[in-house]
Amino acid sequence: MARVVVAIVGIVALVGDFRYILGFSSFSTANYFAYFTNQSNAAGVVVLALGAWLSFRQSRDPGWLMTARMLTATFTIISGIVFGLIVSQAGDYNYRIVVPWSSQLLHFWIPSYVLLDWFFAPGRTPIPWRRVWLVLIYPLVWGGFTMIRGSIVGWYPYFFLDPGQVSGPAEFAAYSGAILVVITGLAAGLVALARRR
């Protein structure tokens, strides 16, 4: 039942965040859907809903659902971590970031629930270690598409991807590499937890 509630909260938060940024003159619908956070939370809502539906039908999550949960959990958690770092460092660059209720839900509360669900929800089944590397496919594809699109439209969803806001290729590679390492580490941690009896 908790998964159903959080899936509904996720939908409300995504709609609320969309409505919130409608007020910005620079708002673009395409840009909204280009954010890693929004894409990963939308996927997370689908996986939560599937997990809730299956939990009423069987006592253990099938392997494919566990893999999907691992992927979306990793992506929503990393979104929260990166956003938290951006917000905490914004003052150093004399930049103010407003965090509305919808953004708080998407970046902090929903990722926290997803982590708790992974720890405590019954029906967990082991995930093979070889599936950890699946977690890199989406960020790499998303990153490549984002860089190509950004060079065309002149907009990037995060400052560390914008060539105009980093000192050069070395800083870009350092940010991107660090995020990929954290993503892989998070996925490995979730798999390790899933494999515990």
Side-chain angles (χ1 to χ4, degrees):
M1 184 57 72
R3 289 177 180 173
V4 174
V5 172
V6 176
I8 294 170
V9 168
I11 294 171
V12 171
L14 286 166
V15 173
D17 208 48
F18 182 83
R19 290 176 61 84
Y20 171 76
I21 62 175
L22 278 175
F24 292 89
S25 58
S26 59
F27 171 74
S28 163
T29 302
N31 288 350
Y32 174 82
F33 291 105
Y35 279 101
F36 190 92
T37 296
N38 298 334
Q39 292 182 17
S40 60
N41 272 279
V45 164
V46 174
V47 171
L48 280 170
L50 281 172
W53 179 67
L54 285 172
S55 68
F56 291 116
R57 299 172 61 88
Q58 55 195 63
S59 60
R60 296 177 67 80
D61 290 341
W64 65 266
L65 178 62
M66 287 295 297
T67 300
R69 287 180 60 207
M70 179 266 289
L71 294 173
T72 55
T74 300
F75 300 147
T76 54
I77 292 168
I78 193 65
S79 295
I81 292 171
V82 171
F83 186 75
L85 290 173
I86 291 173
V87 170
S88 66
Q89 295 180 6
D92 296 339
Y93 297 92
N94 296 317
Y95 189 78
R96 180 173 174 267
I97 297 179
V98 177
V99 186
W101 63 267
S102 54
S103 191
Q104 291 178 33
L105 286 171
L106 293 172
H107 290 103
F108 305 127
W109 294 106
I110 292 175
S112 297
Y113 166 79
V114 166
L115 190 57
L116 290 173
D117 183 65
W118 192 268
F119 270 101
F120 300 114
R124 189 172 59 199
T125 53
I127 301 174
W129 281 110
R130 64 181 178 275
R131 294 187 186 174
V132 168
W133 303 108
L134 294 174
V135 81
L136 292 176
I137 296 174
Y138 168 59
L140 289 172
V141 171
W142 175 87
F145 174 80
T146 297
M147 296 307 296
I148 294 170
R149 180 177 182 270
S151 67
I152 296 170
V153 303
W155 178 87
Y156 300 84
Y158 304 103
F159 78 90
F160 52 85
L161 298 177
D162 188 344
Q165 296 191 58
V166 294
S167 59
E171 185 178 2
F172 167 80
Y175 275 114
S176 301
I179 291 171
L180 289 175
V181 168
V182 174
I183 285 174
T184 306
L186 278 172
L190 293 174
V191 169
L193 286 169
R195 294 176 66 85
R196 290 182 62 186
R197 291 188 180 276

